[in-house]
Amino acid sequence: MHTKTMEGLAGASMNMKLLNTPFSVYKDAERRGDTAVMERAMGYAGEFADKAEDYQKKAEKGMKEDAKEAREKAKTEQENAIRKRKEEREEQEKRIAESRNGDTDTVSVSESGKAALDGKTDSVQTGADNGISVEETADAVKMEPVIYTKTGEALTPESGTNLSVSV
């Protein structure tokens, strides 16, 4: 918060509170019928009201300055963010260009290899990529499920057992 804003708000608040004293004097003089004291009390009340208005204007100026500073700060932050994004983009473009121009490995598949790949299914191809032969992959797919005990031994389910799960 800007100092003018704080000073304006504090001064306006204080002068509005100080208005209570001349008003109470005015009410007391009115009950007594003392017009001279009433006029003097209203003079003081007017002075405090004028001071409160001046402080209010000061607070408004401070608030305008705060808003202006906030706009300028937001603008500079936005410009910094844009500049930073441009730098990051340029850096990324440099990395991409280096990776394109750098020592990269290329893979070429011969015609016989393409023919061999076209003849196999995707599941067999994944097995072939790991160095496992096609026959081993086919056997692995046909295997029965295995249950392990707490000690790590494999148990094979009995052939006549039917499992059912009800939810």
Side-chain angles (χ1 to χ4, degrees), residues 16-68:
M16 291 304 289
K17 288 178 183 176
L18 288 175
L19 274 173
N20 291 335
T21 305
F23 276 139
S24 64
V25 171
Y26 175 83
K27 287 180 183 178
D28 187 45
E30 186 179 33
R31 274 190 303 245
R32 289 181 292 156
D34 192 356
T35 57
V37 174
M38 288 172 52
E39 288 176 6
R40 203 170 39 234
M42 285 309 291
Y44 290 130
E47 289 176 17
F48 286 131
D50 291 341
K51 286 181 184 178
E53 189 176 326
D54 292 340
Y55 279 115
Q56 183 181 1
K57 289 178 183 176
K58 194 174 201 175
E60 289 174 359
K61 286 180 184 178
M63 290 170 66
K64 286 180 183 178
E65 289 178 10
D66 283 342
K68 183 179 177 183

Side-chain angles (χ1 to χ4, degrees), residues 45-142:
E47 289 176 17
F48 286 131
D50 291 341
K51 286 181 184 178
E53 189 176 326
D54 292 340
Y55 279 115
Q56 183 181 1
K57 289 178 183 176
K58 194 174 201 175
E60 289 174 359
K61 286 180 184 178
M63 290 170 66
K64 286 180 183 178
E65 289 178 10
D66 283 342
K68 183 179 177 183
E69 288 177 7
R71 282 191 302 270
E72 290 174 359
K73 184 177 179 183
K75 185 177 178 181
T76 57
E77 286 178 0
Q78 184 179 15
E79 289 172 355
N80 288 339
I82 290 170
R83 186 174 1 98
K84 188 174 181 180
R85 284 187 204 125
K86 283 183 180 179
E87 291 173 357
E88 289 174 355
R89 189 179 310 125
E90 290 173 0
E91 184 178 318
Q92 186 177 15
E93 289 174 358
K94 287 179 184 177
R95 280 190 259 143
I96 291 171
E98 288 175 1
S99 67
R100 288 182 185 163
N101 297 334
D103 296 332
T104 57
D105 295 333
T106 57
V107 176
S108 61
V109 180
S110 66
E111 292 300 321
S112 61
K114 288 180 185 176
L117 286 175
D118 288 339
K120 297 177 184 171
T121 63
D122 289 339
S123 62
V124 175
Q125 288 177 9
T126 56
D129 289 342
N130 294 329
I132 301 172
S133 68
V134 175
E135 292 81 21
E136 290 175 357
T137 306
D139 290 339
V141 171
K142 294 179 184 177

